[in-house]
């Protein structure tokens, strides 16, 4: 009898271990399934603070943007080229650049182009505190407004660097953070034909294209870029006109999309 009772107890203990292992496996499986569910992943992804890389548009609108931080030798040439085609662009300028070349800032504004904020001194913004960001951006806004009479509402991060606290700080200031989805790489001294090829390959309705003033071959490439876009039926507008009005949402790629 004792032997039989011992055997039963041993069997019960083995069954408890087996059930415990099965229960653990079930729990792990459920957790894995939930964590990897597209709905759960989607919710996690959308919590990130993203700048606007491009805009979901039904019409064929695009924006050409220029970052101005250093040289100034081609600004008037760019203005003249845009004037030739009746096209307006958005220039993101650094506060130091505004101080050095106020006449060029005024010329851009007088020609109908947007003059927006690219920081006061081209700092690495992800290394700044929220208060430092506010002070830096505010200083550049002041300089631009003193020349153009218009306070910027758009900001482009130096080096394209950002994180959640950078984007949130700009949002709290009532400003949009603007990135790009087509990079001309003109700062690498690509030829005019290479710059045009990159634009052709990447552009789509709602695209934001990145150029730089004082890049070696950008003035040479600009006419070809504009002519190609116009021939393809695109309307070239400043970034503020590209952005959606009213409620919007950002997808995980940084595309601004209408709600619903």
């Amino acid at each position: 009898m004792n032997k039989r009772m011992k055997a039963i107890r041993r069997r019960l203990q083995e069954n408890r271990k087996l059930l415990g292992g099965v229960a653990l496996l079930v729990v792990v499986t459920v957790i894995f399934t939930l964590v990897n569910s597209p709905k759960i992943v989607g919710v996690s992804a959308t919590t990130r603070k993203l700048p606007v890389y491009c805009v979901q548009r039904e019409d064929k609108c695009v924006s050409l943007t220029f970052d101005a931080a250093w040289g100034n030798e081609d600004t008037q040439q760019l203005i003249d080229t845009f004037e030739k085609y009746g096209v307006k662009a958005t220039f993101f300028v650094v506060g130091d650049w505004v101080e050095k070349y106020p006449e060029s800032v005024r010329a851009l504004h007088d020609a109908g182009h947007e003059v927006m904020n690219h920081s006061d001194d081209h700092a690495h913004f992800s290394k700044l505190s929220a208060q430092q960001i506010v002070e830096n951006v505010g200083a550049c806004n002041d300089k631009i407004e003193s020349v153009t009479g218009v306070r910027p509402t758009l900001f482009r991060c130096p080096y394209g660097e950002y994180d959640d606290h950078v984007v949130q700080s700009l949002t709290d200031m009532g400003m949009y953070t603007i990135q790009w989805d087509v990079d001309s790489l003109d700062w690498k001294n690509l030829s005019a034909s290479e710059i045009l090829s990159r634009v052709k390959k990447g552009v789509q309705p709602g695209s934001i294209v990145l150029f730089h003033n004082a890049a070696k071959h950008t003035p040479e490439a600009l006419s070809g870029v504009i002519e190609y876009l116009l021939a393809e039926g695109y309307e070239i507008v400043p970034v503020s006109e590209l952005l959606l009005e009213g409620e919007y949402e950002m997808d995980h790629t940084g595309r601004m999309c209408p709600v619903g």
Side-chain angles (χ1 to χ4, degrees):
M1 186 69 177
N2 288 338
K3 289 183 178 179
R4 187 176 180 183
M5 288 300 294
K6 289 180 180 179
I8 291 173
R9 289 192 186 111
R10 186 166 56 250
R11 180 63 61 86
L12 286 172
Q13 290 174 350
E14 291 173 352
N15 287 341
R16 287 194 190 101
K17 291 180 180 178
L18 178 61
L19 289 172
V22 171
L24 179 61
L25 179 60
V26 170
V27 171
V28 171
T29 301
V30 170
I31 292 173
F32 180 83
T33 301
L34 286 174
V35 169
N36 288 277
S37 164
K39 291 183 179 179
I40 300 298
V41 172
V43 170
S44 175
T46 55
T47 60
R48 290 187 59 205
K49 304 295 183 183
L50 294 174
V52 178
Y53 280 78
C54 58
V55 181
Q56 181 178 319
R57 302 275 309 209
E58 295 297 328
D59 53 357
K60 296 183 73 173
C61 283
V62 299
S63 290
L64 304 183
T65 68
F66 287 74
D67 289 358
W70 292 283
N72 187 41
E73 55 269 24
D74 60 6
T75 303
Q76 189 57 50
Q77 186 177 352
L78 296 174
I79 292 173
D80 293 342
T81 300
F82 280 122
E83 182 66 25
K84 175 182 176 182
Y85 296 97
V87 169
K88 308 303 180 186
T90 300
F91 286 76
F92 292 93
V93 302
V94 170
D96 290 345
W97 195 84
V98 177
E99 288 187 324
K100 289 181 180 178
Y101 310 110
E103 71 287 347
S104 290
V105 175
R106 189 173 296 107
L108 287 168
H109 172 72
D110 290 347
H113 302 290
E114 289 186 331
V115 181
M116 295 295 173
N117 194 314
H118 192 36
S119 83
D120 197 44
D121 54 3
H122 215 267
H124 292 274
F125 264 49
S126 58
K127 297 181 180 179
L128 302 182
S129 68
Q131 183 59 37
Q132 287 173 322
I133 289 172
V134 170
E135 292 173 356
N136 190 297
V137 174
C140 184
N141 278 348
D142 290 344
K143 293 173 183 178
I144 293 171
E145 186 176 18
S146 69
V147 175
T148 67
V150 178
R151 196 163 187 84
T153 56
L154 309 179
F155 176 78
R156 173 164 284 162
C157 296
Y159 311 102
E161 296 177 354
Y162 66 89
D163 57 20
D164 284 5
H165 100 284
V166 172
V167 178
Q168 187 61 56
S169 296
L170 271 297
T171 300
D172 292 343
M173 294 181 71
M175 300 182 70
Y176 291 96
T177 307
I178 306 298
Q179 203 79 341
W180 58 86
D181 67 326
V182 180
D183 189 347
S184 69
L185 293 181
D186 56 354
W187 60 274
K188 289 188 173 183
N189 292 333
L190 298 186
S191 67
S193 61
E194 289 173 317
I195 292 171
L196 175 58
S197 178
R198 289 189 60 83
V199 174
K200 287 182 176 181
K201 183 178 180 180
V203 74
Q204 59 182 322
S207 280
I208 298 172
V209 187
L210 171 65
F211 299 97
H212 297 79
N213 82 313
K216 187 174 182 180
H217 296 293
T218 299
E220 178 187 351
L222 185 57
S223 289
V225 168
I226 294 173
E227 289 176 3
Y228 168 78
L229 292 173
L230 295 178
E232 290 295 310
Y234 283 99
E235 181 182 2
I236 303 170
V237 299
V239 172
S240 64
E241 295 181 23
L242 186 74
L243 300 179
L244 300 177
E245 296 182 358
E247 292 188 31
Y248 68 91
E249 56 189 9
M250 299 289 290
D251 72 11
H252 68 283
T253 68
R255 183 185 298 272
M256 175 186 266
C257 305
V259 173

